[in-house]
């Protein structure tokens, strides 16, 4: 790959872009956020919670997974503030933390559909 010999941008624009770049700690948190949703099991859990709140047993049944596996992933999603929970008696019900979570996943789907078309991506 050839290496550029000169900058195509004028120095003022380079400085502007440098100033507008988020701080390193913000970029780190953003990268961590995307690493949390970058797991297919966690994406499945989020999809399961799109329409209504569910208990761990129901999520495990929908995804055909063990309770412990679902609980482990829910803990990660809670720490990232992607899901929240509430108690109803002895039962704990999980739901999406807010509408942003659904929007982020929907935007990802839109991007994928633009890349691959509306076709099913199975087998890529």
């Amino acid at each position: 790959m050839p290496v550029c010999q000169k900058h195509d941008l004028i120095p003022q624009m380079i400085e502007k872009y440098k100033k507008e770049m988020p701080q390193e700690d913000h970029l780190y948190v953003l990268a961590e956020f995307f690493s949390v949703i970058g797991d297919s099991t966690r994406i499945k859990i989020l999809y399961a919670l799109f329409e209504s709140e569910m208990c761990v047993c129901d999520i495990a049944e929908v995804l055909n997974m063990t309770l412990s596996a679902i609980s482990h992933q829910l803990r990660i999603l809670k720490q990232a503030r992607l899901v929240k929970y509430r108690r109803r008696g002895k039962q704990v019900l999980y739901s999406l933390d807010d509408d942003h979570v659904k929007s982020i996943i929907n935007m990802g789907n839109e991007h994928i559909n633009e890349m691959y078309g509306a076709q099913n991506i199975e087998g890529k």
Side-chain angles (χ1 to χ4, degrees):
M1 181 186 301
V3 177
C4 61
Q5 300 298 315
K6 66 178 185 111
H7 297 290
D8 289 335
L9 295 173
I10 58 174
Q12 293 89 347
M13 293 304 293
I14 291 172
E15 285 305 310
K16 177 182 183 283
Y17 296 148
K18 284 182 178 180
K19 287 179 185 173
E20 291 175 356
M21 182 68 64
Q23 295 294 316
E24 191 66 32
D25 57 342
H26 179 86
L27 294 173
Y28 177 81
V29 171
L30 184 60
E32 285 291 310
F33 169 78
F34 280 108
S35 73
V36 169
I37 62 171
D39 177 273
S40 63
T41 298
R42 291 191 283 269
I43 291 284
K44 288 176 189 177
I45 292 170
L46 294 174
Y47 264 112
L49 297 174
F50 265 26
E51 298 304 321
S52 66
E53 61 186 2
M54 300 172 81
C55 67
V56 176
C57 296
D58 291 341
I59 298 169
E61 182 70 25
V62 167
L63 301 183
N64 196 29
M65 296 178 67
T66 66
L67 293 174
S68 64
I70 297 299
S71 294
H72 171 73
Q73 298 300 335
L74 283 169
R75 186 171 73 260
I76 294 168
L77 291 168
K78 281 190 306 189
Q79 289 171 342
R81 292 186 170 162
L82 293 170
V83 298
K84 61 185 177 185
Y85 68 94
R86 71 178 182 91
R87 293 192 181 277
R88 185 173 65 189
K90 292 184 178 185
Q91 192 175 38
V92 178
L93 298 170
Y94 292 88
S95 61
L96 298 178
D97 190 71
D98 59 33
D99 290 337
H100 292 111
V101 178
K102 194 172 185 177
S103 296
I104 291 165
I105 292 175
N106 286 336
M107 288 175 66
N109 279 325
E110 287 176 26
H111 182 69
I112 290 168
N113 288 337
E114 286 177 10
M115 288 175 26
Y116 297 102
Q119 65 189 355
N120 190 345
I121 303 175
E122 281 186 27
K124 297 179 186 164

